[in-house]
Amino acid sequence: MSKVSPRRFRMVDRVVEVRTNVTTFRDVMDRLLAPFASAGSDVPSLVYEVRTIDDPTDRRRYELLRDGETVGRVSSIGLLMDLLVRGTTNEVVSTTRRYVAIHAAAAAYEGRAVIMPGPAGHGKTTTVAGLVRRGWDFLTDEAVLISLEDGLVHAFPRPLSISPGSIELLPGLKERIPAMRASYRHYDHHVAPEDLRPGCLSGPVPAAFIVFPAYARGAATALAPISRAEALLELLKGTFNLDLLGQKGVAMLAGVVERAPCYRLSIGAIEPAVRAIDGLLRAAGTPAP
């Protein structure tokens, strides 16, 4: 593989090396994975390789390999980035023993986090993007990491994947995405946290609230409290690495729901949802942005 340009990224507990001779992909990757960039000399525990396919009869122009094994062959830079982000995310959050890793988005304001657990399609990415553009700090749109050592929510600032329909709900965001990167997307927009608001990354913070979002077109946006037992059950079902952590992970999540009031949020539109979460902070005595 000629002109290989390796990059290293420290993601949770792992050092990931990506080797590529595809200049365009490297440039897109450098921007999107910038929060994880590592100049350290640690030996990588995962090695990905991105290369072109020299077969004029194959419409799939690119190949992604993990530790020498083919992960997939795709036709576009956008799909290639989808594969890499999804693959590295799943690998690092499912194998960590330092954090409880929850399938959730999270944002912080005034040193307090709101955790928004939920599967794809429930509105957590769009809601967290709306909060950050309003002045909140970004923690993650996909994997909330709660440290087993300090009990705080730590950032996992992977790029956000925002659908064309959802990005239209965030005025001005599409125009902030560099033209080169936008031209190489496949379907969803790959959005770096810095695209939402420069300097928006949060440090470790305590969880103040847990809000389970559920998007339904045309629904009334409404916030309703739920029991801690119900919230704990939902969190346990949505934890990536519970099989590794066992009782230690369960105890940490039980402690989180004991300290953080829990709600369900029905989302019909993004702005009312953001205002509803702001209202939680106001009611708790923290001025909303």
Side-chain angles (χ1 to χ4, degrees), residues 69 73 77 90 98 138 162 164 168 248 252 269 288:
E69 298 291 330
R73 292 186 169 193
I77 294 291
N90 290 342
R98 294 176 55 212
F138 182 78
I162 302 181
E168 296 299 333
K248 187 185 298 185
M252 175 58 74

Side-chain angles (χ1 to χ4, degrees), residues 12-13 92-102 144-155 204-206 236 239-256 259:
V12 193
D13 306 326
V92 302
V93 301
S94 64
T95 59
T96 178
R97 294 180 181 272
R98 294 176 55 212
Y99 304 93
V100 179
I102 306 166
V144 163
L145 303 176
I146 301 177
S147 170
L148 290 169
E149 180 179 346
D150 59 27
L152 300 179
V153 181
H154 289 240
V205 291
L236 292 172
T239 299
F240 291 107
N241 60 337
L242 197 61
D243 57 333
L244 287 180
L245 300 180
Q247 185 58 40
K248 187 185 298 185
V250 175
M252 175 58 74
L253 291 177
V256 171
R259 296 186 297 271

Side-chain angles (χ1 to χ4, degrees), residues 12-143:
V12 193
D13 306 326
R14 313 290 290 275
V15 175
V16 179
E17 182 170 281
V18 183
R19 303 170 183 171
T20 181
N21 63 354
V22 183
T23 302
T24 303
F25 178 80
R26 182 197 63 210
D27 294 344
V28 171
M29 176 181 67
D30 284 350
R31 169 68 173 172
L32 291 175
L33 299 184
F36 300 110
S38 173
S41 57
D42 292 341
V43 176
S45 55
L46 282 172
V47 176
Y48 283 86
E49 185 178 344
V50 173
R51 63 189 183 190
T52 55
I53 298 172
D54 296 324
D55 181 354
T57 67
D58 194 338
R59 294 179 59 188
R60 298 171 302 174
R61 300 172 55 199
Y62 307 103
E63 183 175 31
L64 179 67
L65 299 93
R66 176 190 177 278
D67 295 337
E69 298 291 330
T70 298
V71 173
R73 292 186 169 193
V74 295
S75 59
S76 72
I77 294 291
L79 282 171
L80 196 57
M81 185 57 64
D82 288 341
L83 276 182
L84 180 65
V85 170
R86 186 165 57 246
T88 53
T89 296
N90 290 342
E91 182 77 28
V92 302
V93 301
S94 64
T95 59
T96 178
R97 294 180 181 272
R98 294 176 55 212
Y99 304 93
V100 179
I102 306 166
H103 191 188
Y109 187 72
E110 294 284 320
R112 307 172 76 199
V114 173
I115 298 173
M116 294 171 281
H122 276 222
K124 63 183 186 294
T125 293
T126 310
T127 303
V128 81
L131 287 167
V132 173
R133 285 166 56 79
R134 190 181 180 93
W136 289 52
D137 292 329
F138 182 78
L139 283 158
T140 184
D141 85 315
E142 177 68 10

